[in-house]
Amino acid sequence: ISECEWHSSQKLIKRAGGRLEMSFKATGLLEVLRWTLGWGRHVQVLEPEELRLALHDEVMAMTAARTAASISATKDVSS
């Protein structure tokens, strides 16, 4: 993340353990949600709470879809 400027208002803070905290002003959360999803397990949203919840909901929906697909595939093989 530190190699590029992702947003003109971004601020970066180096944290312990090699972590990096980035903050910036955004006009909408959908684009930020999609961007954070691209980082997978390597991202943690600290705030705003609305974005934290949206990320959580999306990850849970993805997990449920994957679980349902696995169950369906298992049933198809055993039939």
Side-chain angles (χ1 to χ4, degrees), residues 8-62:
S8 60
S9 70
Q10 80 183 35
K11 292 184 174 97
L12 300 174
I13 301 170
K14 292 182 180 180
R15 298 290 187 192
R19 296 181 303 136
L20 185 67
E21 182 177 315
M22 182 169 93
S23 63
F24 57 92
K25 295 184 187 290
T27 56
L29 295 182
L30 183 57
E31 184 177 344
V32 179
L33 174 62
R34 289 178 179 162
W35 185 73
T36 56
L37 284 166
W39 290 96
R41 63 185 174 91
H42 303 287
V43 70
Q44 178 184 9
V45 174
L46 303 177
E47 57 184 318
E49 185 67 15
E50 181 181 357
L51 180 58
R52 284 175 53 85
L53 293 174
L55 181 62
H56 176 267
D57 291 349
E58 187 63 25
V59 170
M60 295 305 288
M62 291 167 59

